[in-house]
Amino acid sequence: MSKNSKSDKMTIVYCLYPDSTEAKKTASLLLKKGKVICANIVKDVESLYMWQGKLQRSKEVAVYFKTLTSFSKEVQKEIVKLHSYDVPFVAELKVEAVNMEYQQYAKKILRST
Amino acid sequence: MSKNSKSDKMTIVYCLYPDSTEAKKTASLLLKKGKVICANIVKDVESLYMWQGKLQRSKEVAVYFKTLTSFSKEVQKEIVKLHSYDVPFVAELKVEAVNMEYQQYAKKILRST
Amino acid sequence: MSKNSKSDKMTIVYCLYPDSTEAKKTASLLLKKGKVICANIVKDVESLYMWQGKLQRSKEVAVYFKTLTSFSKEVQKEIVKLHSYDVPFVAELKVEAVNMEYQQYAKKILRST
């Protein structure tokens, strides 16, 4: 395991979508552009939130986009731009360390434009 | 995307529950009190752990409570107080950055008592 | 809630598996060796990634291994060693704080060899 050295630090961008279809559309686009390495789509999520003073429930899917930290801002901007919500939640989770083999794989896969 | 500036840093509090019913009860209470912005309940979780030297398995749900860091301690205390387990796992996950739009939305929603 | 003091900081190791069977095998081994406190297996995950220039989809399960930070490197090495993938993704997620009761429980459960 190697501590995430500055240049090849990895990041997980966490975001919720109304359904798998929209999640897969954005994931496929980011993958084909070489901006993320993988997207894990967690189905079967129920979200609770307040809207106009009332408790609301909706079915969602949660997506973990795995990328290098150096690509993270660009990925987050693209997710917000493509998202169907007016105000999506797009969060960069802190990853302390990732196994060396995966980091090297990531650097081969991702392409800066 | 704005780096989480000190005052409006965001946090995800991660906790496991025996079922959706209990998870929703706590989530609804925290939402109505204006302490969290949203709760994502991931169903279909199986947990393994040791108890009295034996391997145990139980069905659980995982909940991601989204809040401002300034509300996080209060939220974690309330979760522990309400929880049915003697020793629940209540963890504050580090969020590096969240999209500006969501941060501004969070600050409108949450209410310090 | 106590801020994670250095010695008893907690860590979540996040990893994907092709199915629950393999995930449970590794989790059971790490639990019986006293290296992790609990493993939460999130079923119903769909992953998208590129392979040889083509978009691929596969069913996976996501596992959150909960341990003390002092055990984390050893746990990550064991996960990589046991994993069926040539290049698994094994990430150490940063946990800011965990409730005191759980930390004390963790220190009783885990055993350094």
Side-chain angles (χ1 to χ4, degrees):
Chain A
M1 297 304 304
S2 86
K3 193 86 187 158
N4 268 337
S5 70
K6 195 96 201 68
S7 68
D8 49 23
K9 256 191 174 301
M10 293 204 68
T11 288
I12 291 175
V13 179
Y14 174 69
C15 181
L16 282 294
Y17 286 87
D19 52 55
S20 292
T21 310
E22 183 180 331
K24 282 185 213 171
K25 214 170 135 200
T26 296
S28 314
L29 191 131
L30 291 169
L31 284 161
K32 287 174 184 165
K33 283 187 169 181
K35 299 307 175 192
V36 298
I37 306 123
C38 178
N40 305 136
I41 303 173
V42 178
K43 312 276 181 86
D44 207 2
V45 174
E46 185 174 8
S47 294
L48 278 67
Y49 56 97
M50 300 300 284
W51 183 253
Q52 296 170 340
K54 285 220 184 82
L55 186 68
Q56 309 287 331
R57 284 182 203 169
S58 61
K59 282 216 147 291
E60 290 191 303
V61 300
V63 184
Y64 299 79
F65 295 96
K66 292 183 267 190
T67 190
L68 288 171
T69 303
S70 48
F71 284 76
S72 180
K73 290 289 169 271
E74 190 183 349
V75 168
Q76 291 169 49
K77 253 188 223 140
E78 190 86 0
I79 289 172
V80 171
K81 199 179 81 186
L82 294 168
H83 210 291
S84 60
Y85 294 172
D86 297 339
V87 182
F89 176 73
V90 181
E92 190 181 291
L93 302 184
K94 171 108 168 144
V95 175
E96 287 286 330
V98 172
N99 49 320
M100 173 71 78
E101 306 85 345
Y102 198 87
Q103 282 183 43
Q104 288 159 348
Y105 167 65
K107 284 190 280 179
K108 267 189 283 173
I109 295 277
L110 298 188
R111 301 190 304 276
S112 14
T113 28
Chain B
M1 297 304 304
S2 86
K3 195 85 189 162
N4 268 337
S5 68
K6 196 95 200 69
S7 69
D8 50 21
K9 257 192 176 299
M10 292 205 67
T11 289
I12 291 175
V13 178
Y14 173 70
C15 181
L16 283 297
Y17 285 88
D19 51 54
S20 292
T21 309
E22 183 179 332
K24 283 187 212 169
K25 215 171 133 197
T26 295
S28 312
L29 191 130
L30 290 169
L31 283 161
K32 286 174 185 164
K33 284 188 170 181
K35 301 305 175 192
V36 298
I37 306 124
C38 178
N40 306 133
I41 302 172
V42 179
K43 312 273 180 89
D44 206 1
V45 174
E46 185 174 7
S47 294
L48 278 67
Y49 56 97
M50 300 299 285
W51 183 253
Q52 295 171 343
K54 286 221 183 79
L55 186 68
Q56 309 288 331
R57 286 182 201 171
S58 61
K59 284 217 147 290
E60 290 191 303
V61 299
V63 183
Y64 298 79
F65 295 98
K66 292 182 269 190
T67 190
L68 288 171
T69 304
S70 48
F71 284 76
S72 180
K73 290 289 168 270
E74 187 183 351
V75 167
Q76 291 168 49
K77 256 190 221 137
E78 190 86 0
I79 289 172
V80 171
K81 199 180 80 186
L82 294 168
H83 210 291
S84 60
Y85 294 171
D86 296 339
V87 182
F89 176 74
V90 181
E92 190 181 287
L93 302 183
K94 172 112 167 137
V95 175
E96 286 288 326
V98 172
N99 50 320
M100 173 71 78
E101 307 84 346
Y102 197 88
Q103 282 185 44
Q104 287 161 348
Y105 166 67
K107 284 192 280 179
K108 268 190 282 173
I109 295 279
L110 298 188
R111 301 190 304 276
S112 16
T113 29
Chain C
M1 296 305 302
S2 87
K3 196 80 188 163
N4 268 337
S5 68
K6 196 94 201 68
S7 69
D8 51 21
K9 256 191 175 300
M10 294 205 67
T11 289
I12 291 175
V13 179
Y14 173 70
C15 182
L16 283 294
Y17 285 88
D19 52 53
S20 292
T21 309
E22 182 180 332
K24 284 186 213 169
K25 215 169 131 200
T26 295
S28 313
L29 191 129
L30 291 170
L31 284 160
K32 286 173 185 164
K33 283 188 171 180
K35 300 306 175 194
V36 298
I37 305 123
C38 178
N40 305 134
I41 302 173
V42 179
K43 309 276 180 87
D44 209 358
V45 173
E46 185 173 6
S47 295
L48 278 68
Y49 57 96
M50 301 298 285
W51 183 253
Q52 297 171 340
K54 287 222 181 81
L55 186 69
Q56 310 287 331
R57 285 186 201 165
S58 60
K59 286 219 144 289
E60 289 190 304
V61 300
V63 184
Y64 298 79
F65 295 98
K66 293 183 268 191
T67 190
L68 288 172
T69 303
S70 46
F71 284 76
S72 181
K73 291 289 170 271
E74 188 183 352
V75 167
Q76 291 168 48
K77 256 190 219 137
E78 191 86 0
I79 289 172
V80 171
K81 199 180 80 185
L82 293 168
H83 210 291
S84 60
Y85 294 172
D86 297 339
V87 183
F89 176 73
V90 182
E92 190 179 290
L93 301 184
K94 172 112 169 144
V95 176
E96 284 289 326
V98 171
N99 50 319
M100 172 71 78
E101 306 84 345
Y102 198 87
Q103 282 183 44
Q104 286 159 352
Y105 167 66
K107 284 190 280 179
K108 268 190 284 175
I109 294 277
L110 298 188
R111 300 191 305 275
S112 15
T113 31

